[in-house]
Amino acid sequence: MTHTTTNIATETQRGPVPLPAPAARALVSLGATGTIASAFLSWTYSSNFPGDLTIYGYPAGLQILAIVAGALTLLYSLTLWNVRGLHRLNPAGATSPVLMTALSAFTVCWFAAIAIAVDLGGLVNLAPGAYVAVAASALPVIGALALPHPAPGTGLRGYLTKPDQPRPGPLPALAERAVITLGTAVALIVFTYGIGINDDESETFIGYLLAIVFATWALVHAGLLDRYAGISARHKGFSATLAFVAVAVFPFTQDNDHNANLGVSILVFATVALGLNIVVGLTGLLDLGYVAFLGVGAYAAALVSGSEFSRFSGVQFPFWAAALTGMAASLVFGVLIGAPTLRLRGDYLAIVTLGFGEIFRIAVNNLDGVSGPNLTNGPNGISRIPDLEIFGFNLGDAHDVGSFTLGRFANYLFLMLFFTAIVVLVFTRAADSRIGRSWIAIREDETAATAMGINGFRVKLIAFALGAALAGLAGTVMAHVNYSVNPQPYQFAGAAPPNSAFLLAAVVLGGMGTVSGPLLGASLLYLIPEKLQFLKNYELFAFGIALVLLMRFRPEGIIANRRRQLEFHDSNTPDTPAQPDEPAVTKAGA
Amino acid sequence: MTALLEVQDLRVAYGKIEAVKGISFSVEAGQVVTLIGTNGAGKTTTLRTLSGLLKPTSGTITFDGKPLTGTPAHKIVALGLAHSPEGRHIFPRLSIAENLQLGAFLRKDKDGIEKDIQRAYDLFPILGERRKQAAGTLSGGEQQMLAMGRALMSQPKLLMLDEPSMGLSPIMMQKIMSTIAELKAQGTTILLVEQNAQAALSLADQGHVMEVGSIVLSGTGQDLLHDESVRKAYLGED
């Protein structure tokens, strides 16, 4: 390369804002510091705005988010200053992670200012602190745009493409475990903060989502999430155990039972999504009526719970028997529905399962003794389901553990966590087994799978029945958590989970065929409608837009299965890190 | 000695259209038998019927002394009849190693499977080099090798190859054909369906020429190769 071409290269690498590089770096760091400082000022005069942003020196709500986003921006701007030790955060010294963190602070502050003006009626409501935040948070964005352009000649699009980051080798085992522990702790803190935002503080929650989206984007571009995925793949058992520990710790971080209630509902929803993942993600069968199996399990458990509204009110099974009853009932329904329909392929199966889902809801609605035989008590459902008692331990009562009081929902959260663990175990064991391989073969090419000697019908029926049974198991717990069962939630699409469309979306959004994908997808899909109450009438609309955007920009889901990624992107190298035992894949892509 | 595969008066129809109109032939153990003919002659239909993917309207198929008619496809594989289907049908997103393992789906002997995978890598070194690569990233010829290697993984008594040379470059085609010759030398019984009559007939012990659903000419590979009408119709000579 000659001297002149190098010069031209540096010239074209300049970002759209004409500033010398040192000034750009200084601007980012300065703006980030200013953003953090502004959070300690008052942003508005009235305490009517969610979170009360009026007090000097006590940041709250959106101001806390501004501090976190500002701190991240500052940290990433320091990676450009050759500060010792920080290069690990941005190994290639790339521009786009800096821009993304700057955007997270920028969007949070600007959103806050706009929300204050709109909610309280006019710009007069903005206190000086808010102007400081708006101005300071814009500086890092301008500065980042003056930094070297990541892919010259591509305009703003270049900032959206993931830069090549070097892939360092593994750390010592102990250090890797420390990283996983830290990562899990951060995830727990982030989740706990999100779930702790009051339901009427939608503004704060939107700011939270904005901060998370851009911060995650920055971490992806910095190659840190790939790195983390690689590390936790090397310590699968350890990271899975820690994840369960984190969920178990969650109730201890909450002082009211409402959030534990949210937690247990999310767990139920996530567990059912994981069951659906066997059917959709592994076997490739599109099931649009899956929520019915949750309903079968819930109704079965309610009928044998001893509730006075149950048709069999005298019958009260111990919980283990009720759980097995729910599972068995769902299994039977799974086989009954599956046996005639699984001979169909593709769209036909989707139509039949969609029909079954609706038939279940309508039938349950009508089995009230008037329109049909009395079994389910019709639209009133079965209420006053008694609390569970396991080993003489009543889950309905609050219990003291040390200085913490664990309420009813926290107790159920532990019970549900146990079942989630079982479902995760069943899923991973099944996916890695002979039957799992035959599911994948069927999904990939049914004709070829048959030519390998795989009995397609039987294997699909097993997947269908297993998925149904797992949903039924979750349903038994749900019946007790909610005190009652009624037909209303078991529909195809509705404004709130669980319903078949949301379950399917949780699987697709999270990442088909993975374990953590549906769990993450389900948590998001449960939490977002819960916290954004103002969307109520537009929820399905927003949900639809979100799905379209997702399919456009990341069709393989948030957490990508290695194989899915091969299908959706031409490149030979999936962006999950290559396992050490897969040299061929890396070689081909290099 | 009775033949390994005995087909008697086989008829297959798609709805009202009869694609195979009463054909009879047999395959002896250790032989290579080929069905040649133009597009639409019914060759692929015959193979798909033998492997259970299609149901015959009448006629009998006897394999290894047992009648096959009515046996579902996945059980036919277990009896030792492997089918490498037209268009290859590999699992594109699974790795080459996983494709081969699925070929041995019905087998339980882990050591034997490992040995046979190694054998497939010896037979097709390119597969061994790329064993962790997704099968969909292979070239057409390499995918054909994988499909053949995968079919061999079930340790079949009879290997049915449907147009292994379809869509391949001349060099790749020669490679595939020489592999078939190698398999023949190892004693594998093969039923080969091909449009490339020259290559198929020079390999085959027995050949059958199909035209619109019927066998019009049968003989040893060498006889057919030198037959006047075959040369005119299929080998492109005036």
Side-chain angles (χ1 to χ4, degrees):
Chain A
M1 200 187 278
T2 64
H3 188 67
T4 26
T5 48
T6 327
N7 256 348
I8 289 166
T10 355
E11 202 55 37
T12 47
Q13 270 176 8
R14 288 271 293 271
V17 175
L19 267 180
R25 289 201 291 262
L27 200 60
V28 179
S29 305
L30 190 75
T33 318
T35 310
I36 298 173
S38 77
F40 290 91
L41 305 173
S42 159
W43 283 11
T44 179
Y45 300 107
S46 152
S47 58
N48 292 334
F49 190 77
D52 189 1
L53 314 180
T54 56
I55 308 165
Y56 279 84
Y58 285 94
L62 284 162
Q63 291 170 323
I64 293 177
L65 293 167
I67 294 179
V68 173
L72 267 178
T73 316
L74 186 61
L75 204 58
Y76 266 89
S77 73
L78 293 181
T79 64
L80 305 175
W81 289 101
N82 287 332
V83 177
R84 265 180 75 93
L86 283 183
H87 69 280
R88 283 172 186 281
L89 292 177
N90 188 6
T95 300
S96 65
V98 181
L99 178 68
M100 291 303 169
T101 49
L103 279 176
S104 82
F106 174 77
T107 48
V108 167
C109 292
W110 281 61
F111 169 76
I114 294 169
I116 291 170
V118 171
D119 279 8
L120 302 178
L123 290 173
V124 291
N125 294 293
L126 293 176
Y131 289 107
V132 175
V134 161
S137 67
L139 296 180
V141 178
I142 297 168
L145 287 175
L147 289 170
H149 195 288
T154 51
L156 287 178
R157 271 186 85 92
Y159 289 99
L160 300 182
T161 24
K162 195 174 139 197
D164 277 332
Q165 293 278 5
R167 284 183 178 165
L171 299 167
L174 200 64
E176 296 207 325
R177 290 184 173 215
V179 170
I180 295 171
T181 315
L182 186 70
T184 313
V186 169
L188 178 66
I189 292 169
V190 170
F191 177 79
T192 310
Y193 182 81
I195 208 173
I197 297 171
N198 281 337
D199 290 357
D200 54 357
E201 293 181 6
S202 300
E203 289 84 353
T204 313
F205 196 76
I206 292 177
Y208 167 79
L209 287 181
L210 286 173
I212 284 190
V213 165
F214 284 106
T216 313
W217 209 336
L219 294 182
V220 169
H221 277 203
L224 288 188
L225 281 196
D226 285 354
R227 189 110 199 268
Y228 186 78
I231 289 175
S232 67
R234 279 194 287 277
H235 303 267
K236 264 192 185 132
F238 181 73
S239 51
T241 315
L242 264 192
F244 280 103
V245 169
V247 182
V249 166
F250 169 73
F252 293 100
T253 64
Q254 301 299 318
D255 47 11
N256 76 40
D257 218 21
H258 173 69
N259 291 338
N261 183 7
L262 264 180
V264 66
S265 303
I266 290 173
L267 264 189
V268 170
F269 186 53
T271 308
V272 180
L274 196 56
L276 178 62
N277 198 18
I278 293 180
V279 180
V280 175
L282 290 183
T283 324
L285 306 168
L286 182 54
D287 186 344
L288 296 180
Y290 190 69
V291 80
F293 298 122
L294 178 71
V296 170
Y299 265 95
L303 284 172
V304 299
S305 67
S307 154
E308 58 200 280
F309 295 97
S310 158
R311 181 81 172 75
F312 317 106
S313 53
V315 182
Q316 183 167 13
F317 282 13
F319 180 64
W320 62 268
L324 287 180
T325 311
M327 260 179 97
S330 287
L331 185 90
V332 168
F333 270 88
V335 173
L336 280 181
I337 305 305
T341 54
L342 286 174
R343 297 173 195 279
L344 304 172
R345 287 193 188 187
D347 304 349
Y348 302 105
L349 181 69
I351 294 166
V352 172
T353 50
L354 176 65
F356 163 67
E358 288 300 290
I359 289 170
F360 170 78
R361 182 172 58 86
I362 295 165
V364 163
N365 223 341
N366 285 303
L367 293 175
D368 57 357
V370 181
S371 323
N374 183 12
L375 181 64
T376 63
N377 208 15
N380 296 327
I382 301 166
S383 49
R384 296 180 66 177
I385 296 173
D387 275 311
L388 291 172
E389 221 178 285
I390 297 174
F391 305 125
F393 181 91
N394 189 329
L395 291 179
D397 299 337
H399 294 269
D400 288 331
V401 177
S403 58
F404 292 99
T405 305
L406 293 179
R408 175 177 185 272
F409 290 113
N411 296 333
Y412 278 109
L413 187 108
F414 288 119
L415 177 68
M416 194 57 222
L417 188 61
F418 173 67
F419 283 122
T420 308
I422 290 178
V423 173
V424 169
L425 200 67
V426 168
F427 182 90
T428 47
R429 298 302 295 168
D432 291 340
S433 70
R434 209 174 117 82
I435 186 90
R437 266 182 285 139
S438 60
W439 285 337
I440 292 166
I442 293 274
R443 184 189 73 198
E444 297 284 311
D445 188 327
E446 198 166 339
T447 309
T450 315
M452 303 296 104
I454 295 170
N455 183 345
F457 173 69
R458 212 191 73 184
V459 170
K460 286 195 283 184
L461 190 62
I462 292 174
F464 210 69
L466 181 61
L470 296 180
L473 180 64
T476 57
V477 180
M478 195 180 76
H480 287 275
V481 174
N482 292 352
Y483 298 108
S484 69
V485 290
N486 66 71
Q488 191 264 330
Y490 306 107
Q491 51 192 351
F492 170 65
N499 56 61
S500 294
F502 266 64
L503 279 169
L504 193 61
V507 174
V508 177
L509 171 89
M512 283 195 266
T514 62
V515 176
S516 41
L519 298 181
L520 180 66
S523 313
L524 285 176
L525 278 180
Y526 200 96
L527 211 51
I528 291 174
E530 186 72 28
K531 296 294 179 190
L532 300 183
Q533 298 284 353
F534 70 92
L535 270 180
K536 224 158 210 147
N537 295 324
Y538 303 100
E539 204 156 73
L540 283 174
F541 177 65
F543 175 63
I545 289 182
L547 278 189
V548 170
L549 289 179
L550 186 79
M551 288 300 106
R552 169 64 186 80
F553 292 106
R554 201 169 165 85
E556 67 272 36
I558 299 173
I559 293 171
N561 183 304
R562 182 173 62 89
R563 289 176 187 133
R564 288 272 155 196
Q565 212 151 35
L566 284 171
E567 180 188 17
F568 289 118
H569 298 281
D570 294 336
S571 144
N572 213 343
T573 34
D575 73 22
T576 44
Q579 302 297 308
D581 61 343
E582 294 175 333
V585 176
T586 17
K587 203 171 71 189
Chain B
M1 196 188 111
T2 54
L4 180 61
L5 176 75
E6 190 80 56
V7 177
Q8 277 293 336
D9 196 27
L10 184 73
R11 286 172 186 277
V12 192
Y14 296 101
K16 280 188 179 158
I17 297 158
E18 197 164 47
V20 175
K21 302 170 178 171
I23 60 167
S24 303
F25 67 93
S26 61
V27 181
E28 306 269 350
Q31 271 190 336
V32 171
V33 175
T34 182
L35 299 179
I36 59 172
T38 52
N39 270 342
K43 310 179 301 283
T44 295
T45 307
T46 307
L47 283 205
R48 289 176 69 88
T49 313
L50 292 179
S51 66
L53 292 171
L54 295 172
K55 299 263 167 288
T57 38
S58 71
T60 57
I61 306 164
T62 318
F63 179 70
D64 208 12
K66 291 175 211 89
L68 280 195
T69 334
T71 314
H74 63 269
K75 288 207 175 126
I76 289 179
V77 186
L79 293 174
L81 188 64
H83 183 189
S84 168
E86 185 182 11
R88 307 187 273 267
H89 279 279
I90 50 138
F91 301 108
R93 281 181 276 153
L94 305 194
S95 71
I96 287 160
E98 288 169 319
N99 265 276
L100 291 174
Q101 266 155 6
L102 275 167
F105 186 76
L106 294 173
R107 291 170 59 184
K108 301 265 158 68
D109 54 325
K110 274 205 170 143
D111 297 344
I113 294 174
E114 262 326 299
K115 221 191 264 163
D116 279 0
I117 289 183
Q118 208 46 57
R119 200 181 129 217
Y121 291 157
D122 292 342
L123 202 56
F124 306 107
I126 190 83
L127 298 184
E129 284 166 32
R130 305 191 172 174
R131 60 188 76 181
K132 299 284 182 186
Q133 196 171 320
T137 61
L138 295 176
S139 77
E142 290 159 1
Q143 290 188 9
Q144 184 57 54
M145 294 175 181
L146 178 59
M148 284 171 62
R150 191 182 60 178
L152 283 171
M153 288 302 296
S154 64
Q155 291 185 317
K157 295 187 187 117
L158 171 61
L159 175 64
M160 301 196 294
L161 299 174
D162 196 347
E163 306 235 3
S165 75
M166 188 174 71
L168 300 187
S169 68
I171 294 172
M172 199 49 100
M173 195 192 77
Q174 247 172 15
K175 233 177 184 172
I176 296 284
M177 286 302 167
S178 69
T179 312
I180 296 173
E182 204 178 322
L183 288 174
K184 178 190 176 184
Q186 290 172 6
T188 317
T189 314
I190 296 172
L191 176 57
L192 174 66
V193 157
E194 258 298 339
Q195 291 207 27
N196 186 334
Q198 171 92 48
L201 287 175
S202 31
L203 275 174
D205 298 306
Q206 279 288 321
H208 304 280
V209 181
M210 286 187 78
E211 255 170 41
V212 283
S214 310
I215 291 181
V216 292
L217 198 61
S218 300
T220 66
Q222 288 307 314
D223 283 352
L224 290 177
L225 207 51
H226 297 108
D227 184 277
E228 192 77 8
S229 58
V230 172
R231 294 185 74 87
K232 271 192 180 161
Y234 301 106
L235 302 179
E237 291 182 10
D238 303 310

